[in-house]
Amino acid sequence: EVQLVESGGGLVQPGGSLRLSCAASGFTFSNYAMSWVRQAPGEGLEWVSGIHGSGGSTFHADFVKGRFTVSRDTSKNTLYLQMNSLSAEDTAVYYCVKDLHYSGSGGIDHWGQGTLLTVSS
Amino acid sequence: IQLTQSPSFLSASVGDRVTFTCRASRGISSYLAWYQQKPGKAPRLLIYAASTLQSGVPSRFSGGGSGTEFTLTITSLQPEDFATYYCQQLNSYPLTFGGGTKVEIK
C-alpha cells in the first residue's frame, strides 16, 4: 500500500523558513516523479514544486522560484521542500503527491494527508 | 499554461448527466488529468491522459478532448459525486490546475 506521510508544518513568522518532509513507502520511490501541491483555506489547488524520479530535474511554480527548493533522498525514501522568505500568501495545506510516471506527466495517483503551514506574526 | 474551468458552480440533481469543461491557454495534447475533491479530504484521481479512467473509478465518469479543450462527464450523478472537480495539465512544467467546478445539489 502506497503511503505518503508529511511532517514539518506549523506556525512560522513572515520572512522565516521551514522544511517539509514526506516519508514515502509502498512503492519504488526512485521510479516516480513527486511533487508538492498546496491549497490555501477555501481556495483551489496549486502545484508548487516537482522532481523527477532520479532527482536529477527539479521544477517550481513561478510564485515560489528562488524561495522554495524541492529535493529527494532516495536512500531514505523521503521528499523535502525547503521554504524560505515565507509570507502570509504561503499559508496553506501542503500535500506530498506521487505521479503515475517517472517524469511527472501522468497524473497524481496518491496524495498524503497534508500538513498545514501558517505564516503569521 | 493556464487552465480555465467552466462553469465554476453547477447545481444538479441525482440522476442528471453533467459535463464540465477545461480549456488550456495553449495545446497540451492529451496531458490532462481530472480530480475530485470532497471537503476536508485530499483530491482523488479520476481520469488521466484526458480519457483514461483511473482504477477503481466508476464508469459513469468519462473524459474527452485533446489539444486545448477537454470535458469531464458524469452520466448519472450520484449523491457521492457532489464535490469539487479540478483539471490539471501535465504537458509541461510548471504544472498547473484549473480553478475548479463545484457541483452542488439542486
Side-chain angles (χ1 to χ4, degrees):
Chain A
E1 178 193 3
V2 171
Q3 287 197 319
L4 301 171
V5 180
E6 303 98 336
S7 60
L11 176 64
V12 63
Q13 292 190 335
S17 298
L18 204 66
R19 188 177 80 161
L20 303 182
S21 300
C22 171
S25 61
F27 63 102
T28 304
F29 186 61
S30 59
N31 283 0
Y32 297 93
M34 301 290 293
S35 287
W36 292 95
V37 173
R38 74 184 186 184
Q39 188 167 35
E43 301 295 326
L45 301 172
E46 277 192 313
W47 180 87
V48 175
S49 301
I51 186 167
H52 281 181
S54 66
S57 297
T58 62
F59 308 89
H60 298 276
D62 289 345
F63 54 81
V64 302
K65 272 182 183 174
R67 300 190 300 125
F68 291 12
T69 302
V70 63
S71 62
R72 66 196 296 165
D73 184 337
T74 54
S75 68
K76 295 181 179 179
N77 283 1
T78 301
L79 178 72
Y80 301 101
L81 185 66
Q82 177 66 44
M83 304 181 291
N84 300 328
S85 303
L86 288 163
S87 69
E89 289 69 39
D90 296 313
T91 294
V93 172
Y94 285 74
Y95 292 102
C96 167
V97 301
K98 170 191 167 294
D99 193 87
L100 283 164
H101 296 159
Y102 175 91
S103 64
S105 61
I108 299 167
D109 64 341
H110 287 89
W111 300 68
Q113 84 284 357
T115 187
L116 176 63
L117 167 67
T118 303
V119 183
S120 175
S121 54
Chain B
I1 298 173
Q2 295 182 347
L3 297 179
T4 303
Q5 289 188 241
S6 60
S8 298
F9 294 94
L10 189 156
S11 183
S13 301
V14 172
D16 284 353
R17 176 188 177 97
V18 297
T19 297
F20 5 102
T21 299
C22 177
R23 289 187 174 86
S25 58
R26 59 180 175 89
I28 58 171
S29 185
S30 296
Y31 291 100
L32 189 101
W34 289 96
Y35 304 89
Q36 176 193 67
Q37 187 178 32
K38 297 181 180 179
K41 301 290 188 182
R44 167 197 183 195
L45 178 65
L46 299 175
I47 301 281
Y48 63 94
S51 61
T52 303
L53 197 67
Q54 170 69 345
S55 176
V57 174
S59 59
R60 63 180 179 273
F61 291 90
S62 64
S66 66
T68 61
E69 187 152 336
F70 302 85
T71 58
L72 175 68
T73 298
I74 308 173
T75 53
S76 177
L77 203 61
Q78 298 301 299
E80 61 267 29
D81 299 336
F82 291 94
T84 301
Y85 294 83
Y86 295 94
C87 58
Q88 182 197 23
Q89 69 83 16
L90 301 118
N91 180 74
S92 61
Y93 284 97
L95 308 183
T96 45
F97 287 93
T101 293
K102 185 174 183 179
V103 179
E104 299 178 325
I105 300 173
K106 183 181 286 185

mmCIF file with all atom_site columns, all heavy atoms in Angstrom, chain B residues 65-78:
data_model
loop_
_atom_site.group_PDB
_atom_site.id
_atom_site.type_symbol
_atom_site.label_atom_id
_atom_site.label_alt_id
_atom_site.label_comp_id
_atom_site.label_asym_id
_atom_site.label_entity_id
_atom_site.label_seq_id
_atom_site.pdbx_PDB_ins_code
_atom_site.Cartn_x
_atom_site.Cartn_y
_atom_site.Cartn_z
_atom_site.occupancy
_atom_site.B_iso_or_equiv
_atom_site.pdbx_formal_charge
_atom_site.auth_seq_id
_atom_site.auth_comp_id
_atom_site.auth_asym_id
_atom_site.auth_atom_id
_atom_site.pdbx_PDB_model_num
ATOM 1   N N   . GLY B 1 65 ? -11.468 14.874 -25.137 1.00 0.00 ? 65 GLY B N   1
ATOM 2   C CA  . GLY B 1 65 ? -10.806 16.074 -25.636 1.00 0.00 ? 65 GLY B CA  1
ATOM 3   C C   . GLY B 1 65 ? -9.322  15.891 -25.851 1.00 0.00 ? 65 GLY B C   1
ATOM 4   O O   . GLY B 1 65 ? -8.723  14.906 -25.413 1.00 0.00 ? 65 GLY B O   1
ATOM 5   N N   . SER B 1 66 ? -8.740  16.877 -26.519 1.00 0.00 ? 66 SER B N   1
ATOM 6   C CA  . SER B 1 66 ? -7.299  16.932 -26.706 1.00 0.00 ? 66 SER B CA  1
ATOM 7   C C   . SER B 1 66 ? -6.952  18.332 -27.198 1.00 0.00 ? 66 SER B C   1
ATOM 8   O O   . SER B 1 66 ? -7.834  19.067 -27.633 1.00 0.00 ? 66 SER B O   1
ATOM 9   C CB  . SER B 1 66 ? -6.808  15.885 -27.705 1.00 0.00 ? 66 SER B CB  1
ATOM 10  O OG  . SER B 1 66 ? -7.294  16.169 -28.998 1.00 0.00 ? 66 SER B OG  1
ATOM 11  N N   . GLY B 1 67 ? -5.691  18.665 -27.112 1.00 0.00 ? 67 GLY B N   1
ATOM 12  C CA  . GLY B 1 67 ? -5.284  19.998 -27.557 1.00 0.00 ? 67 GLY B CA  1
ATOM 13  C C   . GLY B 1 67 ? -5.558  21.055 -26.508 1.00 0.00 ? 67 GLY B C   1
ATOM 14  O O   . GLY B 1 67 ? -4.818  21.180 -25.539 1.00 0.00 ? 67 GLY B O   1
ATOM 15  N N   . THR B 1 68 ? -6.624  21.815 -26.687 1.00 0.00 ? 68 THR B N   1
ATOM 16  C CA  . THR B 1 68 ? -6.923  22.891 -25.752 1.00 0.00 ? 68 THR B CA  1
ATOM 17  C C   . THR B 1 68 ? -8.272  22.748 -25.064 1.00 0.00 ? 68 THR B C   1
ATOM 18  O O   . THR B 1 68 ? -8.560  23.523 -24.145 1.00 0.00 ? 68 THR B O   1
ATOM 19  C CB  . THR B 1 68 ? -6.887  24.265 -26.462 1.00 0.00 ? 68 THR B CB  1
ATOM 20  O OG1 . THR B 1 68 ? -7.869  24.277 -27.480 1.00 0.00 ? 68 THR B OG1 1
ATOM 21  C CG2 . THR B 1 68 ? -5.507  24.563 -27.035 1.00 0.00 ? 68 THR B CG2 1
ATOM 22  N N   . GLU B 1 69 ? -9.112  21.841 -25.489 1.00 0.00 ? 69 GLU B N   1
ATOM 23  C CA  . GLU B 1 69 ? -10.431 21.734 -24.878 1.00 0.00 ? 69 GLU B CA  1
ATOM 24  C C   . GLU B 1 69 ? -10.719 20.316 -24.429 1.00 0.00 ? 69 GLU B C   1
ATOM 25  O O   . GLU B 1 69 ? -10.593 19.361 -25.201 1.00 0.00 ? 69 GLU B O   1
ATOM 26  C CB  . GLU B 1 69 ? -11.519 22.210 -25.839 1.00 0.00 ? 69 GLU B CB  1
ATOM 27  C CG  . GLU B 1 69 ? -12.894 22.269 -25.206 1.00 0.00 ? 69 GLU B CG  1
ATOM 28  C CD  . GLU B 1 69 ? -13.802 23.313 -25.833 1.00 0.00 ? 69 GLU B CD  1
ATOM 29  O OE1 . GLU B 1 69 ? -13.286 24.278 -26.414 1.00 0.00 ? 69 GLU B OE1 1
ATOM 30  O OE2 . GLU B 1 69 ? -15.024 23.149 -25.713 1.00 0.00 ? 69 GLU B OE2 1
ATOM 31  N N   . PHE B 1 70 ? -11.152 20.216 -23.164 1.00 0.00 ? 70 PHE B N   1
ATOM 32  C CA  . PHE B 1 70 ? -11.367 18.928 -22.533 1.00 0.00 ? 70 PHE B CA  1
ATOM 33  C C   . PHE B 1 70 ? -12.688 18.933 -21.775 1.00 0.00 ? 70 PHE B C   1
ATOM 34  O O   . PHE B 1 70 ? -13.152 19.989 -21.334 1.00 0.00 ? 70 PHE B O   1
ATOM 35  C CB  . PHE B 1 70 ? -10.216 18.622 -21.563 1.00 0.00 ? 70 PHE B CB  1
ATOM 36  C CG  . PHE B 1 70 ? -8.872  18.609 -22.221 1.00 0.00 ? 70 PHE B CG  1
ATOM 37  C CD1 . PHE B 1 70 ? -8.159  19.787 -22.399 1.00 0.00 ? 70 PHE B CD1 1
ATOM 38  C CD2 . PHE B 1 70 ? -8.323  17.430 -22.690 1.00 0.00 ? 70 PHE B CD2 1
ATOM 39  C CE1 . PHE B 1 70 ? -6.926  19.793 -23.029 1.00 0.00 ? 70 PHE B CE1 1
ATOM 40  C CE2 . PHE B 1 70 ? -7.085  17.422 -23.319 1.00 0.00 ? 70 PHE B CE2 1
ATOM 41  C CZ  . PHE B 1 70 ? -6.396  18.605 -23.493 1.00 0.00 ? 70 PHE B CZ  1
ATOM 42  N N   . THR B 1 71 ? -13.258 17.753 -21.625 1.00 0.00 ? 71 THR B N   1
ATOM 43  C CA  . THR B 1 71 ? -14.507 17.629 -20.889 1.00 0.00 ? 71 THR B CA  1
ATOM 44  C C   . THR B 1 71 ? -14.441 16.474 -19.904 1.00 0.00 ? 71 THR B C   1
ATOM 45  O O   . THR B 1 71 ? -13.734 15.490 -20.118 1.00 0.00 ? 71 THR B O   1
ATOM 46  C CB  . THR B 1 71 ? -15.690 17.375 -21.832 1.00 0.00 ? 71 THR B CB  1
ATOM 47  O OG1 . THR B 1 71 ? -15.438 16.191 -22.594 1.00 0.00 ? 71 THR B OG1 1
ATOM 48  C CG2 . THR B 1 71 ? -15.919 18.559 -22.761 1.00 0.00 ? 71 THR B CG2 1
ATOM 49  N N   . LEU B 1 72 ? -15.185 16.634 -18.819 1.00 0.00 ? 72 LEU B N   1
ATOM 50  C CA  . LEU B 1 72 ? -15.438 15.560 -17.863 1.00 0.00 ? 72 LEU B CA  1
ATOM 51  C C   . LEU B 1 72 ? -16.949 15.399 -17.794 1.00 0.00 ? 72 LEU B C   1
ATOM 52  O O   . LEU B 1 72 ? -17.652 16.388 -17.578 1.00 0.00 ? 72 LEU B O   1
ATOM 53  C CB  . LEU B 1 72 ? -14.874 15.892 -16.482 1.00 0.00 ? 72 LEU B CB  1
ATOM 54  C CG  . LEU B 1 72 ? -15.192 14.876 -15.379 1.00 0.00 ? 72 LEU B CG  1
ATOM 55  C CD1 . LEU B 1 72 ? -14.465 13.565 -15.636 1.00 0.00 ? 72 LEU B CD1 1
ATOM 56  C CD2 . LEU B 1 72 ? -14.798 15.430 -14.008 1.00 0.00 ? 72 LEU B CD2 1
ATOM 57  N N   . THR B 1 73 ? -17.420 14.191 -18.001 1.00 0.00 ? 73 THR B N   1
ATOM 58  C CA  . THR B 1 73 ? -18.853 13.910 -17.982 1.00 0.00 ? 73 THR B CA  1
ATOM 59  C C   . THR B 1 73 ? -19.166 12.881 -16.915 1.00 0.00 ? 73 THR B C   1
ATOM 60  O O   . THR B 1 73 ? -18.438 11.896 -16.763 1.00 0.00 ? 73 THR B O   1
ATOM 61  C CB  . THR B 1 73 ? -19.326 13.401 -19.355 1.00 0.00 ? 73 THR B CB  1
ATOM 62  O OG1 . THR B 1 73 ? -19.110 14.416 -20.337 1.00 0.00 ? 73 THR B OG1 1
ATOM 63  C CG2 . THR B 1 73 ? -20.801 13.037 -19.320 1.00 0.00 ? 73 THR B CG2 1
ATOM 64  N N   . ILE B 1 74 ? -20.236 13.145 -16.187 1.00 0.00 ? 74 ILE B N   1
ATOM 65  C CA  . ILE B 1 74 ? -20.784 12.157 -15.250 1.00 0.00 ? 74 ILE B CA  1
ATOM 66  C C   . ILE B 1 74 ? -22.153 11.812 -15.802 1.00 0.00 ? 74 ILE B C   1
ATOM 67  O O   . ILE B 1 74 ? -23.018 12.693 -15.926 1.00 0.00 ? 74 ILE B O   1
ATOM 68  C CB  . ILE B 1 74 ? -20.911 12.712 -13.823 1.00 0.00 ? 74 ILE B CB  1
ATOM 69  C CG1 . ILE B 1 74 ? -19.584 13.329 -13.367 1.00 0.00 ? 74 ILE B CG1 1
ATOM 70  C CG2 . ILE B 1 74 ? -21.331 11.600 -12.860 1.00 0.00 ? 74 ILE B CG2 1
ATOM 71  C CD1 . ILE B 1 74 ? -19.665 14.048 -12.017 1.00 0.00 ? 74 ILE B CD1 1
ATOM 72  N N   . THR B 1 75 ? -22.364 10.556 -16.180 1.00 0.00 ? 75 THR B N   1
ATOM 73  C CA  . THR B 1 75 ? -23.577 10.206 -16.920 1.00 0.00 ? 75 THR B CA  1
ATOM 74  C C   . THR B 1 75 ? -24.823 10.191 -16.042 1.00 0.00 ? 75 THR B C   1
ATOM 75  O O   . THR B 1 75 ? -25.903 10.543 -16.512 1.00 0.00 ? 75 THR B O   1
ATOM 76  C CB  . THR B 1 75 ? -23.426 8.843  -17.608 1.00 0.00 ? 75 THR B CB  1
ATOM 77  O OG1 . THR B 1 75 ? -23.013 7.880  -16.634 1.00 0.00 ? 75 THR B OG1 1
ATOM 78  C CG2 . THR B 1 75 ? -22.412 8.914  -18.735 1.00 0.00 ? 75 THR B CG2 1
ATOM 79  N N   . SER B 1 76 ? -24.696 9.798  -14.793 1.00 0.00 ? 76 SER B N   1
ATOM 80  C CA  . SER B 1 76 ? -25.848 9.768  -13.899 1.00 0.00 ? 76 SER B CA  1
ATOM 81  C C   . SER B 1 76 ? -25.350 10.126 -12.510 1.00 0.00 ? 76 SER B C   1
ATOM 82  O O   . SER B 1 76 ? -24.799 9.288  -11.788 1.00 0.00 ? 76 SER B O   1
ATOM 83  C CB  . SER B 1 76 ? -26.507 8.381  -13.892 1.00 0.00 ? 76 SER B CB  1
ATOM 84  O OG  . SER B 1 76 ? -27.592 8.345  -12.972 1.00 0.00 ? 76 SER B OG  1
ATOM 85  N N   . LEU B 1 77 ? -25.549 11.385 -12.147 1.00 0.00 ? 77 LEU B N   1
ATOM 86  C CA  . LEU B 1 77 ? -24.973 11.920 -10.922 1.00 0.00 ? 77 LEU B CA  1
ATOM 87  C C   . LEU B 1 77 ? -25.502 11.168 -9.702  1.00 0.00 ? 77 LEU B C   1
ATOM 88  O O   . LEU B 1 77 ? -26.723 10.963 -9.553  1.00 0.00 ? 77 LEU B O   1
ATOM 89  C CB  . LEU B 1 77 ? -25.325 13.403 -10.844 1.00 0.00 ? 77 LEU B CB  1
ATOM 90  C CG  . LEU B 1 77 ? -24.462 14.319 -10.002 1.00 0.00 ? 77 LEU B CG  1
ATOM 91  C CD1 . LEU B 1 77 ? -23.028 14.339 -10.510 1.00 0.00 ? 77 LEU B CD1 1
ATOM 92  C CD2 . LEU B 1 77 ? -25.052 15.723 -10.007 1.00 0.00 ? 77 LEU B CD2 1
ATOM 93  N N   . GLN B 1 78 ? -24.563 10.754 -8.854  1.00 0.00 ? 78 GLN B N   1
ATOM 94  C CA  . GLN B 1 78 ? -24.912 10.051 -7.621  1.00 0.00 ? 78 GLN B CA  1
ATOM 95  C C   . GLN B 1 78 ? -24.674 10.954 -6.418  1.00 0.00 ? 78 GLN B C   1
ATOM 96  O O   . GLN B 1 78 ? -23.911 11.918 -6.511  1.00 0.00 ? 78 GLN B O   1
ATOM 97  C CB  . GLN B 1 78 ? -24.080 8.767  -7.496  1.00 0.00 ? 78 GLN B CB  1
ATOM 98  C CG  . GLN B 1 78 ? -24.329 7.771  -8.612  1.00 0.00 ? 78 GLN B CG  1
ATOM 99  C CD  . GLN B 1 78 ? -25.794 7.349  -8.678  1.00 0.00 ? 78 GLN B CD  1
ATOM 100 O OE1 . GLN B 1 78 ? -26.324 6.787  -7.706  1.00 0.00 ? 78 GLN B OE1 1
ATOM 101 N NE2 . GLN B 1 78 ? -26.448 7.601  -9.801  1.00 0.00 ? 78 GLN B NE2 1
#
